[in-house]
Amino acid sequence: MGATTARLVSPHDGTAGFLGSIGVRFMIDGEEAGERFSLVEHPMSARALAAPLHRHTREDEYSYVTEGRVGALLGDEVLIGEPGDLIFKPRNQWHTFWNAGEEPARLLEIISPAGFERFFAELVDLGGVTQADPQTLAELCARYELEMNPDSVPELLQRFELRFPGEPI
């Protein structure tokens, strides 16, 4: 377990990448936080779907909206968060999220416990969800105990008037 030290994370600190539909900026990794949590930022282009429906078995996600409007489908419930809102995505629940507006959106994502930020790092290295070999992506999901339903994308795009993939911002 790494040592936790105080530090300031400025708006331009951290490594950034593209997950194939939305961006990711790594702000605090699990090692730095004693594996208790990690923090990433997700910038999203207008109307971008973040990911197919998926379900985490090991971690909860807390999405704090800092810019724009962010939609989330949690089970059968649809939520729209605006700046200052927090969307809680508990483990073992099918969910996805998206930019619900015509302008860029941005959220801070707390992942607890830590570890899933490494999935994002590996996905960036694969070129994102849209460029990754399907078998390699399936193996990556299995390693992180993530279930993903790629067949959900067309219905999500139509239902919420979204784009997939999104564009880097």
Side-chain angles (χ1 to χ4, degrees):
M1 199 163 31
T4 302
T5 59
R7 74 177 174 100
L8 175 71
V9 180
S10 78
H12 303 290
D13 287 344
T15 303
F18 190 61
L19 299 172
S21 188
I22 65 170
V24 63
R25 179 170 65 107
F26 301 94
M27 299 175 70
I28 299 174
D29 66 23
E31 183 177 339
E32 184 178 8
E35 300 302 329
R36 294 180 308 273
F37 75 96
S38 61
L39 178 66
V40 298
E41 179 184 58
H42 289 305
M44 300 181 283
S45 61
R47 310 300 303 173
L49 174 64
L53 278 172
H54 59 283
R55 175 169 52 185
H56 306 264
T57 60
R58 300 191 298 205
E59 53 276 318
D60 301 313
E61 295 176 308
Y62 306 82
S63 299
Y64 183 79
V65 181
T66 61
E67 180 182 334
R69 299 177 72 235
V70 175
L73 177 62
L74 303 161
D76 294 327
E77 188 174 5
V78 176
L79 304 172
I80 303 293
E82 298 190 359
D85 290 337
L86 179 75
I87 301 168
F88 173 47
K89 299 177 284 186
R91 70 188 77 191
N92 295 316
Q93 183 175 53
W94 285 98
H95 67 278
T96 191
F97 62 101
W98 60 88
N99 180 339
E102 299 302 329
E103 301 296 325
R106 191 173 301 268
L107 57 85
L108 295 175
E109 183 108 290
I110 300 166
I111 303 163
S112 177
F116 195 72
E117 74 280 7
R118 295 177 195 105
F119 173 92
F120 291 144
E122 289 187 54
L123 188 56
V124 167
D125 290 345
L126 293 173
V129 71
T130 59
Q131 300 298 313
D133 169 73
Q135 181 61 38
T136 304
L137 181 58
E139 292 167 2
L140 178 65
C141 289
R143 272 200 323 279
Y144 287 91
E145 297 181 30
L146 174 72
E147 296 176 73
M148 190 178 291
N149 180 2
D151 295 337
S152 66
V153 171
E155 192 271 331
L156 292 166
L157 297 180
Q158 182 178 4
R159 180 177 176 189
F160 299 109
E161 300 177 15
L162 303 174
R163 300 181 188 109
F164 188 82
E167 299 178 13
I169 58 168

